[in-house]
Amino acid sequence: MSEKELILQVSHLQKSFGNHAVLNDIDFEVCKGDVVSIIGASGSGKSTMLRCINLLEEPGGGAILFHGQDITDPKVNVPAYRAKVGMVFQNFNLFNNMTVLENCIVGQVKVAKKKPEEARESAIRYLRQVGMEPFLNAKPRQLSGGQKQRVAIARALAMEPEVLLFDEPTSALDPQMVGEVLSVMEDLAKQGLTMLVVTHEMAFARDVSTHVIYMSEGVIEEEGTPEQIFGAPKSDKTKEFLARFRNTSI
Ligand SMILES: Nc1ncnc2c1ncn2[C@@H]1O[C@H](COP(=O)(O)OP(=O)(O)OP(=O)(O)O)[C@@H](O)[C@H]1O
Ligand SMILES: [Mg+2]
């Protein structure tokens, strides 16, 4: 029997802002190839949790291990870690003064120390994968939201991450552009990329993920397979949360 390879272990993670405890004793594991959807009401701590995993916030307690290594160890090279555990943001965070192609090259050269020519080839390959090859020389301001998000995904992929974190990647998009981004993400999931996705897209959580985490008020209220969470939720809070989506997106 083949054991799944453990990539990330979050244990007893805590985070407070002042005296406001935002994350309380968060425990979960991510194995290679897992697609974990994180759902929950606004303010439940989903972004804070992803930001701790990406070291955009300093965890307040507990541990986050990447291949067994504590990422808060001062010896960890943070930019190199962020290349391996990349992040895609709601508002794209592209460099607006650079072209699409330059956006996808810069990190590869500066952080991954790739040769410019190799970085260029790889950027073009990933931009082709997300359907953005025709826009290599465009600036972000010339693109739609869906196109910008696809460039942001290509840029993250060009770093050859082991895990990609997505924080509501479709929430800032006009409705007609949501599908093009979700379909890129679904393709990545099918190719076996390990992903953690904070989302309000319940159909994505149900149909694409291997695992669903429901967060409420800074704790993991319930987690399980999509079949368990959407088909037979145990907690009343989970049931109540999902009921709000019944008549809308799924
Ligand atoms: N930098 C900060 N300083 C102070 N409080 C913060 C900070 N970041 C987040 N919070 C608070 O932490 C709580 C959790 O916020 P977080 O953004 O993680 O929630 P979320 O689940 O991502 O919500 P949403 O669905 O609206 O994005 C909220 O009460 C928020 O106001
Ligand atoms: Mg958030």
Side-chain angles (χ1 to χ4, degrees), residues 201-204 206-207 230 242 245-250:
E201 294 290 334
M202 293 301 136
F204 179 91
R206 184 192 57 192
D207 300 336
F230 290 97
L242 292 175
F245 289 91
R246 279 281 132 71
N247 303 319
T248 54
S249 44
I250 53 172

Side-chain angles (χ1 to χ4, degrees), residues 61 65 85 108 133 175 188 221:
L65 306 182
V85 181
Q108 296 189 70
E133 197 187 5
L188 296 174
E221 174 72 18

Side-chain angles (χ1 to χ4, degrees), residues 30-187:
V30 181
C31 290
K32 194 173 163 62
D34 285 352
V35 178
V36 181
S37 287
I38 300 156
I39 60 173
S42 183
S44 56
K46 307 177 300 294
S47 294
T48 304
M49 182 171 85
L50 276 202
R51 291 170 61 82
C52 284
I53 294 174
N54 201 238
L55 290 175
L56 290 168
E57 297 288 354
E58 193 185 341
I64 301 174
L65 306 182
F66 178 61
H67 292 292
Q69 190 190 9
D70 184 349
I71 62 165
T72 60
D73 186 324
K75 286 196 287 267
V76 168
N77 175 335
V78 174
Y81 168 71
R82 289 202 187 119
K84 292 288 135 207
V85 181
M87 185 138 161
V88 173
F89 300 87
Q90 185 173 340
N91 290 312
F92 330 118
N93 289 13
L94 293 175
F95 304 115
N96 288 320
N97 57 338
M98 294 184 191
T99 64
V100 163
L101 183 60
E102 287 162 352
N103 262 280
C104 296
I105 289 177
V106 62
Q108 296 189 70
V109 173
K110 291 209 167 146
V111 179
K113 310 287 181 214
K114 279 200 214 161
K115 293 200 185 87
E117 196 44 41
E118 198 189 322
R120 187 174 190 279
E121 277 170 29
S122 162
I124 293 172
R125 194 166 66 245
Y126 288 109
L127 284 164
R128 186 180 307 134
Q129 183 179 342
V130 301
M132 287 303 290
E133 197 187 5
F135 298 89
L136 295 184
N137 297 313
K139 290 277 180 68
R141 68 181 141 76
Q142 298 169 293
L143 305 177
S144 72
Q147 290 171 332
K148 281 187 220 181
Q149 195 57 297
R150 286 187 282 144
V151 172
I153 293 172
R155 178 178 64 175
L157 290 172
M159 300 303 284
E160 285 158 20
E162 287 185 48
V163 184
L164 257 195
L165 313 174
F166 294 82
D167 192 0
E168 298 200 34
T170 59
S171 294
L173 303 180
D174 291 337
Q176 69 271 26
M177 286 157 198
V178 169
E180 69 193 51
V181 172
L182 289 179
S183 114
V184 164
M185 292 169 63
E186 189 169 352
D187 284 346

Side-chain angles (χ1 to χ4, degrees), residues 18-31:
N19 54 13
H20 179 194
V22 172
L23 297 176
N24 269 309
D25 210 20
I26 299 281
D27 270 312
F28 68 96
E29 293 183 342
V30 181
C31 290

